[in-house]
Every structure is written in C-alpha cells, then in structure tokens.
C-alpha cells in the first residue's frame, strides 16, 4: 500500500498507509494526524485540511478545481504556491511516497 508522509507543525514526520483511491484528508484523520481537522468531511467547504505539498510531487497532482482555488484564498495559514486541500489529493501510484506539510493553523 502506498504511503504519505505528513510533516506536523512540531516537525514530526508521520508516514501512513493510504489506500489507492483514498484522499489524504481521510487518511490523516483515520491515523490521528495532528492538525488535519477535516471539518467538512471532504466536501471542499472549510479548508481545515490545508497542506503544503512537497515540490517533488506537485507536478503529479491533478489540476486544481476552481472551487479548491477559491477556498484556498480563505485559509487560516497563508496560502503558498504549493497549497492544496488534502481532501482533493487522491492517492494513486504516481503519488506513492508523497510528502505534505500540515498548514498551521487550520482554524
């Protein structure tokens, strides 16, 4: 099973298994990753799963939907060029080993 590594606000690295087809927000909440809230359950309406994607993986992500782009304008932590919502990152073979930094704060 592919893995994703979450870098938490305290600098801790947490590698978790993520099933193909599952999104990173769900994987994070299922594994108790500190800082990923996921208040909206993945409906892309709260931005509490904001992450910064490692540059090595940004080219492997699908194009950002307009709704995600708009939600990212209202994040608690400042938006960066590599900002994404973890609920919109769906694990596939090209993303195996992805590294994301949890945005702090989320709320």
């Amino acid at each position: 099973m592919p893995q994703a590594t979450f870098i938490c606000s305290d600098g801790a690295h947490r590698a978790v298994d993520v099933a193909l087809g599952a999104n990173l927000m769900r994987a994070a909440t299922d594994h108790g990753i500190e800082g990923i809230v996921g208040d909206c359950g993945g409906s892309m309406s709260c931005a509490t799963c904001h992450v910064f994607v490692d540059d090595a993986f940004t080219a492997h992500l699908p194009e950002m939907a307009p709704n995600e782009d708009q939600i990212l304008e209202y994040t608690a932590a400042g938006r960066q060029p590599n900002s994404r919502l973890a609920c919109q990152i769906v694990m596939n073979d090209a993303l195996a080993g992805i590294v994301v930094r949890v945005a702090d704060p989320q709320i």
Side-chain angles (χ1 to χ4, degrees):
M1 184 175 296
Q3 286 195 331
T5 298
F6 292 86
I7 303 173
C8 301
S9 62
D10 64 0
H13 289 60
R14 295 264 324 268
V16 300
D17 291 333
V18 184
L20 293 173
N23 69 55
L24 294 191
M25 182 276 299
R26 179 65 57 209
T29 57
D30 287 351
H31 289 90
I33 299 296
E34 185 72 30
I36 297 292
V37 180
D39 274 341
C40 70
S43 65
M44 200 171 31
S45 63
C46 71
T48 61
C49 65
H50 180 200
V51 295
F52 304 115
V53 179
D54 184 271
D55 291 339
F57 291 92
T58 56
H60 299 290
L61 296 174
E63 186 174 331
M64 187 181 302
N67 290 0
E68 181 182 5
D69 188 43
Q70 182 179 12
I71 290 292
L72 285 168
E73 291 299 321
Y74 301 100
T75 57
R79 182 178 184 169
Q80 297 180 12
N82 59 341
S83 287
R84 293 297 297 259
L85 298 178
C87 66
Q88 299 304 298
I89 302 174
V90 177
M91 181 56 78
N92 60 50
D93 290 328
L95 295 178
I98 190 171
V99 176
V100 297
R101 180 174 296 279
V102 178
D104 183 36
Q106 289 286 343
I107 310 174

